[in-house]
Amino acid sequence: MITIGILGLQGAVREHVNAVEQCGAKAIIVKTVEQLAELDGLILPGGESTTMRRLLDKYHFMEPLKEFAASGKPMFGTCAGLILLAKRIGEANDVHLGLMDITVERNSFGRQVDSFEADLTVAGVADSMTAVFIRAPHIVEAGENVEILAKYNGRIVAAKEGQFLGCSFHPELTDDTRLTQYFIDMCKDAKENTEKNIDIDINVAIDVSI
Ligand code: GLN
């Protein structure tokens, strides 16, 4: 069974829990650093990135989240969560976790259209899926190892870099769980690879002791 955590300090938490459970994985709302140890992957939900950052500092999450990333476990940032993952944020905003090689711009789609739905093609995930954008950021620039998964009006709105997945929109607000499933599959692969490596380590240890 794959266990997915949803950072539960602020934002669209419950909707992600429902989406993960619909995919048949176990969902845990993460409110303390200790809970990170139980997870195979972590979702950083949408909400308000500056508020989330304040809470991450208050509850001492910053270093543990960087360690979680360093352990190779997948992380999925949606909307504000994407901003938390980015290595660079436009307009001199403070960088938060700085894990994914992208530059993001906040509130990119203008005041008049605070929220809207669009039909997107998401590479490797869906030929057509409805995406809900709410005061959404977009990816202005992506490093060479970043795979661009979706664009809307020429702007990058979904991308993957190794263990990191990010999107500008809210996949948890529709009934379409394909992107959530895609992330869970990333977590399954990462878990299997870690287990294989542990097996190899044990065999090497046995060889050495013989
Ligand atoms: N505008 C928000 C921010 O900058 C993100 C909005 C969202 O997550 N729906 O953090």
Side-chain angles (χ1 to χ4, degrees):
M1 179 78 146
I2 293 289
T3 305
I4 305 291
I6 295 99
L7 186 69
L9 302 179
Q10 193 255 342
V13 177
R14 174 51 55 191
E15 293 82 355
H16 273 296
V17 169
N18 293 342
V20 166
E21 287 175 349
Q22 264 180 56
C23 293
K26 183 175 171 188
I28 293 184
I29 297 177
V30 176
K31 287 184 182 279
T32 66
V33 164
E34 290 69 34
Q35 289 171 292
L36 294 173
E38 301 169 48
L39 311 178
D40 299 310
L42 178 68
I43 295 176
L44 306 170
E48 180 58 44
S49 55
T50 45
T51 308
M52 257 184 231
R53 171 59 190 275
R54 205 166 33 74
L55 296 170
L56 287 175
D57 286 336
K58 183 170 176 194
Y59 296 104
H60 311 288
F61 262 100
M62 290 299 281
E63 278 315 306
L65 285 178
K66 288 180 190 173
E67 282 162 24
F68 184 87
S71 77
K73 289 187 179 173
M75 295 170 86
F76 180 17
T78 63
C79 206
L82 173 73
I83 299 168
L84 294 182
L85 282 183
K87 281 198 174 156
R88 295 167 299 275
I89 306 175
E91 288 172 24
N93 282 292
D94 249 7
V95 167
H96 307 299
L97 294 168
L99 295 168
M100 194 170 170
D101 192 11
I102 52 172
T103 307
V104 294
E105 192 181 288
R106 296 177 64 201
N107 306 322
S108 312
F109 295 93
R111 288 256 158 93
Q112 308 86 316
V113 278
D114 266 355
S115 76
F116 60 95
E117 285 185 9
D119 188 57
L120 299 180
T121 299
V122 185
V125 180
D127 287 340
S128 159
M129 86 184 258
T130 303
V132 179
F133 291 80
I134 305 170
R135 288 174 52 77
H138 84 284
I139 299 171
V140 184
E141 198 193 316
E144 57 178 326
N145 296 323
V146 178
E147 234 180 291
I148 293 164
L149 302 184
K151 284 188 178 183
Y152 172 69
N153 278 354
R155 293 178 159 182
I156 306 168
V157 293
K160 177 178 185 292
E161 182 189 18
Q163 78 200 93
F164 304 117
L165 179 67
C167 65
S168 302
F169 49 91
H170 284 260
E172 78 288 3
L173 294 184
T174 66
D175 292 337
D176 189 336
T177 55
R178 287 178 290 181
L179 195 53
T180 304
Q181 185 63 57
Y182 181 83
F183 177 64
I184 293 171
D185 290 344
M186 281 170 59
C187 298
K188 263 186 214 157
D189 289 347
K191 188 176 186 174
E192 278 166 19
N193 285 336
T194 315
E195 279 163 7
K196 259 187 230 148
N197 287 339
I198 290 170
D199 279 353
I200 292 167
D201 285 350
I202 290 171
N203 288 335
V204 168
I206 292 170
D207 282 352
V208 167
S209 66
I210 292 168

